[in-house]
Amino acid sequence: AQSVTQPDIHITVSEGASLELRCNYSYGATPYLFWYVQSPGQGLQLLLKYFSGDTLVQGIKGFEAEFKRSQSSFNLRKPSVHWSDAAEYFCAVHPSGGSYIPTFGRGTSLIVHP
Amino acid sequence: GAGVSQSPRYKVAKRGQDVALRCDPISGHVSLFWYQQALGQGPEFLTYFQNEAQLDKSGLPSDRFFAERPEGSVSTLKIQRTQQEDSAVYLCASSFGAAEGRETQYFGPGTRLLVL
């Protein structure tokens, strides 16, 4: 069975500082990997996704993520955080064959200090 | 164009009451998913429709949960005899094609259900 671990429940950064949110997955093959952001009272919005190829993927709002097969990780990064980035971030694994049911991590809440 | 919409946005129900949650997917989207998101957790899959066919309901937690999409567009998730453990945010998502891992799902804002 696939699983996703987001080890940090909360992350606090100062505005303008860099950010890295961790995501580790467990899956039998290379899955499809997604990062979503959820602002209060909103649904999940796709930030970026990885299927294959270049292991560094660019997303919206200045976010990027790097797939590291050896570490089963797909960490999300942003070089300079803005106050509007404060939200909940979810990493998700979508199966690469057969099932279509995604598995989400429990989320990391990002707090941005001015 | 319009995204996925859900109504009501908030619902307070007394234990034992029946509730119905509505999802309007993006027009033309074939696939529709329902998820349950408990407080402090990520979404968990409930059920999946391809057009009007419910192809997977493996995530429904009990037979009190029922979902339908009779004309292949709007979907309703019904919970009968609500219990306190049903309190959660219920998210609907749709995607353009038949569900497979690469498809991007577009999420609605959710319905926050509180059962007293």
Side-chain angles (χ1 to χ4, degrees), chain B residues 34-106:
Chain B
W34 282 99
Y35 296 89
Q36 182 188 60
Q37 185 178 16
L39 189 64
Q41 302 296 319
E44 292 196 358
F45 170 82
L46 292 177
T47 187
Y48 162 64
F49 289 86
Q50 183 175 316
N51 296 309
E52 69 278 4
Q54 187 176 21
L55 299 188
D56 191 327
K57 50 183 182 180
S58 63
L60 296 177
S62 78
D63 59 7
R64 296 186 294 105
F65 287 70
F66 171 77
E68 60 182 5
R69 193 186 185 198
E71 297 180 358
S73 55
V74 172
S75 177
T76 303
L77 176 67
K78 296 179 180 178
I79 309 173
Q80 298 176 322
R81 304 180 305 280
T82 52
Q83 303 294 315
Q84 287 184 326
E85 62 263 28
D86 299 335
S87 295
V89 175
Y90 290 86
L91 295 170
C92 175
S94 68
S95 64
F96 179 74
E100 63 95 9
R102 289 175 180 250
E103 279 282 326
T104 296
Q105 296 184 23
Y106 297 85

Side-chain angles (χ1 to χ4, degrees), chain A residues 97-108:
Chain A
S99 173
Y100 42 73
I101 299 174
T103 299
F104 290 83
R106 63 175 296 165
T108 296

